[in-house]
Amino acid sequence: MGAFETATARRSLLKGLGALAVGTSLPAKAQQLLADPGIELHPLPRVVSKGAWSDLARAMTGDLVLPNDAYFGNYSQVNNLSYSQRPAAIARCVTDADVSACLKWAHNTNTPFAVRSGGHNYAGFSTTSGLLIDMSPMAKIKADGDRVIIGGGAINVAVYRALERMGRTITHGRCEGVGAAGFLLGGGIGFNMRLYGIGSDLLRSTDLMLASGEKVTASATEHAKLLWACQGGGGGNFGVNTSFTLQTFPVSTVTVFILTWSKNQERVLYDLLHRLQEAPPGFGCKISVTPPTPQQRAQGDDIVISVMGQAHQGTPPLKELFGTLLEQADPKRTIEIDMPYWEAQDILAEEALPYFYREQSVFLKTENLTEKAVADMIATARAMPGTSLPSSFKFFQVGGEVNKLKPTDTAFVHRGFDWLFSSEVNWWELRDPPSLVSDNLVWQQQFYDKVRRLTPSGGAYQNFPDPALKDWQSAYYAENYRDLQKVKVEVDPGSLFTFAQAIKPA
């Protein structure tokens, strides 16, 4: 369940640092901001007997993996190490019947569970001390005319390769290890969204295993409200999605670019936000603002602004889109003109290695990003305490087809905006003391609160869940929350599927 994401800043940073770290207790303030999912979401109330585990193993075609079994550590690895938690067992589901058996068993034994495809949930909502339902073996992908059917356990990179063979594409992210299920169920942002809509806008049907163990297909003609709920209602709320059928589009060529600016940051950021917002729908980008780490600051480094993205065939040339900003960019740059689509995506892709992080988000309108507001963002970024790892705040460009739907047309309510803002803090426990992490998380919260006030109706992106968000119901879903509650009553009235920010029945 999970999530899309400075060319060198985010998750590709930890190669060589290793996948695990020794845990250190953070100060109380930081604990409040992170919120421990092991306490709030999936507590294991009692020890499950060996006989009960044996019953589940016999009911499954796939493997039930226990802590002493080979590869248990690999299967239980999370992406956000802030929420590392060892499950009691891992069910490696290979069929719909396996998923049904797991749900019935969890209900009968009163065992908490979580469902995982990629394990990239920012807030740890795909972790548990109970049964981890691992969907990754159910990863088949096949063409169906101009549509693609994606298994509930498939990860992004497998989807990319299948679509490349088809000569087609969808709205997709850049992080190769993210589960397609979490990406789609929470909306799904990517560079194609201004041209085709967000990922869930392309969803035509989905198969689910419900809390009862029953399999249903949600489409425009059957269980239509359930399909509506799966188009942005978030993963882990209504059932286990075992497959997704999406509309695809033919590929041609794109121009890809990665540009940076290390001077005149306030002016550059303001001009980028206002100029690029006017670009046609075939243009998509992400702007990143990366303050120096304390070590870099001591060497005299300052904030770097970067833009990466793509322009589809038929879009005006970059010189026209960027104007004088292109001339002002740093000499080191990447611009590849008219590349085959999927070859170009290899330049934009990133690897998602485990580390510690926290992310917060809000949708913004360009009209609210005044010169004063942008200058204040840069000043605030310069005041960030910083950790041993680079952190950024980012603007994902929305608009275009995303805004052609009404907020209530699907469960994804965030229409009518120009940018999705997100702020990240990254750290590594072996290098960054708890007090420093706490200082950075407090800084982040104050920065986020200030930015949210720029567009009060901006909500928050449900695929970037924030455990500290007190108004998450309205922030993620706004006026759609009541209808999502009604769907919850129909398919899971007893809230078998539950976590800290799960939709509650009406």
Side-chain angles (χ1 to χ4, degrees), residues 155-193:
I155 60 174
N156 280 347
V157 67
V159 177
Y160 305 163
R161 298 298 169 250
L163 288 169
E164 183 175 14
R165 290 190 291 271
M166 293 172 61
R168 302 187 72 85
T169 190
I170 57 175
T171 295
H172 59 84
R174 296 171 40 244
C175 187
E176 295 183 339
V178 164
F183 173 82
L184 291 167
L185 291 169
I189 63 171
F191 292 141
N192 283 336
M193 62 183 162

Side-chain angles (χ1 to χ4, degrees), residues 54-279:
S54 296
D55 291 342
L56 177 58
R58 285 191 292 268
M60 293 180 58
T61 301
D63 294 330
L64 183 69
V65 184
L66 299 175
N68 289 331
D69 291 335
Y71 302 111
F72 179 89
N74 300 70
Y75 297 147
S76 63
Q77 178 67 63
V78 297
N79 185 255
N80 189 344
L81 296 179
S82 303
Y83 302 106
S84 294
Q85 188 173 195
R86 192 178 83 162
I90 303 171
R92 302 262 295 162
C93 296
V94 298
T95 65
D96 290 348
D98 282 355
V99 178
S100 178
C102 287
L103 295 177
K104 291 177 180 178
W105 180 90
H107 177 266
N108 292 336
T109 61
N110 194 31
T111 301
F113 67 93
V115 184
R116 176 182 298 175
S117 53
H120 288 73
N121 188 284
Y122 286 8
F125 295 157
S126 58
T127 63
T128 180
S129 59
L131 175 65
L132 181 61
I133 300 176
D134 182 3
M135 297 295 292
S136 60
M138 299 178 66
K140 291 182 180 179
I141 304 168
K142 64 179 181 179
D144 183 20
D146 62 354
R147 297 181 177 183
V148 63
I149 302 174
I150 301 172
I155 60 174
N156 280 347
V157 67
V159 177
Y160 305 163
R161 298 298 169 250
L163 288 169
E164 183 175 14
R165 290 190 291 271
M166 293 172 61
R168 302 187 72 85
T169 190
I170 57 175
T171 295
H172 59 84
R174 296 171 40 244
C175 187
E176 295 183 339
V178 164
F183 173 82
L184 291 167
L185 291 169
I189 63 171
F191 292 141
N192 283 336
M193 62 183 162
R194 302 181 74 240
L195 189 59
Y196 304 133
I198 60 170
S200 62
D201 292 344
L202 310 182
L203 184 62
R204 298 296 176 258
S205 68
T206 180
D207 292 341
L208 297 92
M209 303 303 298
L210 301 182
S212 63
E214 173 192 5
K215 178 181 178 179
V216 300
T217 298
S219 69
T221 57
E222 51 182 339
H223 303 287
K225 287 301 292 184
L226 182 54
L227 175 65
W228 174 90
C230 290
Q231 292 177 293
N237 279 306
F238 306 106
V240 180
N241 297 73
T242 58
S243 76
F244 302 86
T245 300
L246 290 96
Q247 183 65 51
T248 66
F249 301 88
V251 298
S252 55
T253 61
V254 293
T255 294
V256 295
F257 52 90
I258 303 173
L259 306 169
T260 63
W261 293 261
S262 52
K263 298 178 181 179
N264 304 316
Q265 291 90 341
E266 294 87 350
R267 184 77 253 169
V268 167
L269 180 57
Y270 177 84
D271 288 348
L272 286 171
L273 290 167
H274 286 257
R275 187 179 185 96
L276 298 182
Q277 184 257 332
E278 301 292 339

